[in-house]
Amino acid sequence: MKKKFLCGAAVMAMTASMLFGCAGDSAEETTAAGKETSAEAGAEKETEAKEDAEKKETEAASGEKVKVTLLVTGSFGDKAFNDSAQAGMKKIESEMGDQVEVEMIEMGSDKTKFEGSMLDAAESDADIIITGLWDMKEITEQVAQEFPDKTVLLLGCGDSYVQLAAHCKDQLPDNVIAPYIDGALLDTLINKEKFYQLCDRYGIDHPATFIYDKSMGHDFTLPFGPPYIAKPADSVAYWATGVHALAKVYVCQSWEELLTALDQVYAAGYPDHMVLQEFIPGDDTYMRVLTNYSDRNGQVKLMCLGHVLLEEHSPHGIGNHAVIITEHDEALSLKIKAMLEDLHFTGFSNFDIKYDQRDGKYKAFEINCRQGRSNYYVTGAGYNIAKLLVEDRIQHQELPFLITSNRSLWRMVPQKVAFDFTPKRYHQEMKALIRAGADSHSLVYGRDAALKRRLRIWKNHLGNLKRFQQYNQKPEG
């Protein structure tokens, strides 16, 4: 069997979960990919993929297990990415033990030993090898070149990693695949100023917007009144300042507060424009999130709309989704689909949207050219995004187009927080979905019942209880 390297640009756990999604109906998050080369190379890969798939079928029929190796820099017990990757591998082992054989290797902190560990794994009988990318980038490239018969699947789980992968994908070895659009288009889409220009071109509504330049100082006027929204046009450059005092989004109740926020941002060294917008009235329940998958040919294949019931309101977490119920809106979905396909977008896209009760329109806030933080709501609804990637990019299947319609509940918080901080009008359906088993949480997995993991989940729950009590207000009705 042709071996595959999976090299996650941010979170190895997502790669481990992707493997589970290849053969199962549940996974935590994502990975996998592909890029187009010449027509001749594409035909070669198509034939190779078919032969590989046939061989896998034969092996599956004979009972031979797929061997998966996880390499982590450092060790387990970090309460972060390594532990999440380990949990994903345990999930594979517990639910697919008859099909998959798992090995997990801690490489420690001595970087001089990383390459040897990679080479040992490459020369072993492992069919799939998973590793991270921070310290492993150069080593992974070297190993990819040394083992040209293997495929490296490159994914980013944050804007800066995705941007790096999009700009560098054509410079990587031929057997490294990154499922992204070209760097120039990605730069356009993740820049909010340019994104709103595209929205205007494709008839997609967005909030009233003013583009602020540092040279304007305090000498400018806005065509709308408070409260004001202020956010960076270029979020990658914004967070690259390294100033933790900056807010993800500023909600300014007065003109003076807005000017103070702008002064703070530029004092931190941010070099680009700020986007100033009118505040669209409505609580968290007016928010929507639309996650899409576009195949290697630029055709949208899956669209899943989430009705946000609760968001974080902490300074650094503001806008992060905490509770979502999936819903269906064909008109909105088709409008977004038309733009994505005209741009020949490939891979995952994630839109933040708010319903404006004043005119009955959905207003787009931004696009993420990747799976979003809350994307497990899609898998929780029964549409495994990792499975889509594998079927499209690895197996080269022709996927059907689907706008999801079933209802499901996703949470990133314990049930107490979900019910305490969402309006009561949603509680009946939330309870019904929980009773029906149509409820998911990105961290909770009953079969992984190790004591340390349970304690860490409880710690997360307690942290959410404290954070929401501190920053969120309980709804009146």
Side-chain angles (χ1 to χ4, degrees):
M1 179 187 294
K2 181 178 178 179
K3 299 185 183 180
K4 300 186 185 299
F5 275 88
L6 285 86
C7 190
V11 186
M12 291 178 293
M14 302 192 180
T15 317
S17 298
M18 182 279 288
L19 294 174
F20 179 79
C22 296
D25 293 323
S26 173
E28 291 190 359
E29 285 197 347
T30 156
T31 58
K35 74 175 178 183
E36 300 296 334
T37 54
S38 66
E40 183 179 349
E44 249 177 48
K45 287 190 175 182
E46 187 84 23
T47 303
E48 190 178 74
K50 287 179 180 177
E51 291 174 352
D52 198 28
E54 289 172 2
K55 191 171 182 180
K56 287 178 184 177
E57 287 179 8
T58 303
E59 289 168 343
S62 66
E64 184 176 343
K65 293 184 178 181
V66 175
K67 297 179 181 178
V68 183
T69 297
L70 169 68
L71 299 171
V72 300
T73 57
S75 59
F76 298 121
D78 65 342
K79 301 181 181 180
F81 299 136
N82 288 353
D83 282 358
S84 296
Q86 184 184 42
M89 295 294 283
K90 287 182 177 178
K91 186 173 184 179
I92 298 171
E93 191 172 36
S94 66
E95 296 201 4
M96 298 174 61
D98 59 332
Q99 303 173 52
V100 178
E101 181 180 321
V102 169
E103 181 180 16
M104 294 179 276
I105 299 174
E106 300 168 291
M107 295 189 290
S109 302
D110 186 350
K111 296 183 180 181
T112 63
K113 297 180 180 179
F114 291 173
E115 184 174 2
S117 298
M118 285 281 286
L119 291 170
D120 287 345
E123 293 169 351
S124 74
D125 58 354
D127 300 306
I128 301 175
I129 303 167
I130 308 172
T131 182
L133 186 64
W134 285 308
D135 294 320
M136 301 295 292
K137 179 178 181 294
E138 292 79 12
I139 294 172
T140 302
E141 289 178 345
Q142 293 170 14
V143 174
Q145 292 172 339
E146 188 168 343
F147 293 87
D149 59 320
K150 299 171 185 176
T151 303
V152 178
L153 307 176
L154 178 63
L155 290 174
C157 300
D159 290 335
S160 58
Y161 288 106
V162 170
Q163 189 177 41
L164 178 65
H167 279 279
C168 297
K169 65 177 185 175
D170 293 332
Q171 304 168 26
L172 297 170
D174 290 341
N175 58 327
V176 178
I177 299 173
Y180 299 109
I181 51 179
D182 66 81
L185 178 56
L186 186 135
D187 289 345
T188 296
L189 289 172
I190 65 175
N191 183 291
K192 294 179 180 65
E193 178 182 354
K194 296 175 182 178
F195 170 66
Y196 293 132
Q197 293 171 359
L198 281 175
C199 287
D200 290 335
R201 183 195 306 176
Y202 290 99
I204 296 172
D205 297 300
H206 60 82
T209 301
F210 179 89
I211 304 301
Y212 174 84
D213 185 271
K214 179 182 177 181
S215 63
M216 296 177 181
H218 292 182
D219 186 21
F220 68 99
T221 59
L222 296 177
F224 44 84
Y228 307 104
I229 300 295
K231 54 190 178 183
D234 186 341
S235 60
V236 174
Y238 185 74
W239 294 117
T241 63
V243 178
H244 299 295
L246 296 178
K248 182 180 177 182
V249 177
Y250 290 90
V251 182
C252 306
Q253 302 299 325
S254 66
W255 181 255
E256 292 73 22
E257 191 176 339
L258 173 62
L259 296 180
T260 299
L262 292 173
D263 290 344
Q264 180 187 21
V265 167
Y266 287 103
Y270 173 64
D272 208 336
H273 293 155
M274 287 292 287
V275 176
L276 310 183
Q277 292 180 321
E278 67 169 338
F279 177 81
I280 296 178
D283 59 21
D284 294 349
T285 63
Y286 287 81
M287 291 299 300
R288 303 293 189 274
V289 56
L290 181 62
T291 298
N292 318 288
Y293 180 72
S294 301
D295 71 6
R296 61 196 182 280
N297 300 313
Q299 298 297 302
V300 177
K301 295 301 180 181
L302 180 75
M303 308 188 82
C304 185
L305 181 65
H307 181 175
V308 179
L309 303 187
L310 181 64
E311 294 184 333
E312 287 189 39
H313 288 197
S314 61
H316 289 286
I318 187 169
N320 287 341
H321 307 141
V323 179
I324 292 173
I325 287 183
T326 52
E327 67 179 23
H328 181 87
D329 190 305
E330 185 170 348
L332 173 63
S333 299
L334 292 179
K335 185 179 287 189
I336 298 293
K337 178 177 183 286
M339 181 179 81
L340 291 172
E341 292 188 344
D342 193 62
L343 293 172
H344 204 72
F345 188 93
T346 58
F348 286 107
S349 57
N350 176 267
F351 288 78
D352 286 329
I353 302 166
K354 190 169 186 179
Y355 177 74
D356 192 338
Q357 58 188 318
R358 299 170 301 180
D359 56 15
K361 295 180 179 179
Y362 287 103
K363 308 287 178 71
F365 284 178
E366 65 178 349
I367 180 177
N368 296 305
C369 299
R370 54 178 170 79
Q371 66 281 4
R373 175 181 179 273
S374 61
N375 77 83
Y376 192 62
Y377 83 89
V378 183
T379 298
Y383 304 96
N384 194 320
I385 62 174
K387 192 166 181 283
L388 287 172
L389 278 166
V390 173
E391 290 173 345
D392 173 36
R393 296 292 190 162
I394 304 302
Q395 299 174 351
H396 295 117
Q397 295 183 23
E398 293 301 323
L399 306 175
F401 170 62
L402 175 67
I403 302 176
T404 66
S405 58
N406 61 308
R407 304 282 279 185
S408 65
L409 174 67
W410 169 87
R411 297 175 292 110
M412 194 61 197
V413 294
Q415 287 188 22
K416 178 174 173 54
V417 171
F419 283 98
D420 281 353
F421 292 93
T422 55
K424 291 182 180 178
R425 64 182 179 274
Y426 297 104
H427 289 183
Q428 183 177 350
E429 182 176 14
M430 290 167 64
K431 291 176 182 176
L433 290 170
I434 291 172
R435 286 194 301 269
D439 167 52
S440 61
H441 186 294
S442 292
L443 297 180
V444 175
Y445 180 61
R447 296 193 186 187
D448 192 354
L451 178 60
K452 283 187 178 181
R453 175 166 169 77
R454 283 185 291 166
L455 290 174
R456 287 170 190 159
I457 297 301
W458 273 106
K459 182 179 179 181
N460 179 271
H461 288 340
L462 291 172
N464 277 318
L465 284 167
K466 180 180 178 181
R467 184 163 51 253
F468 277 82
Q469 288 171 355
Q470 180 178 358
Y471 294 107
N472 288 61
Q473 293 183 347
K474 294 184 178 182
E476 295 179 0

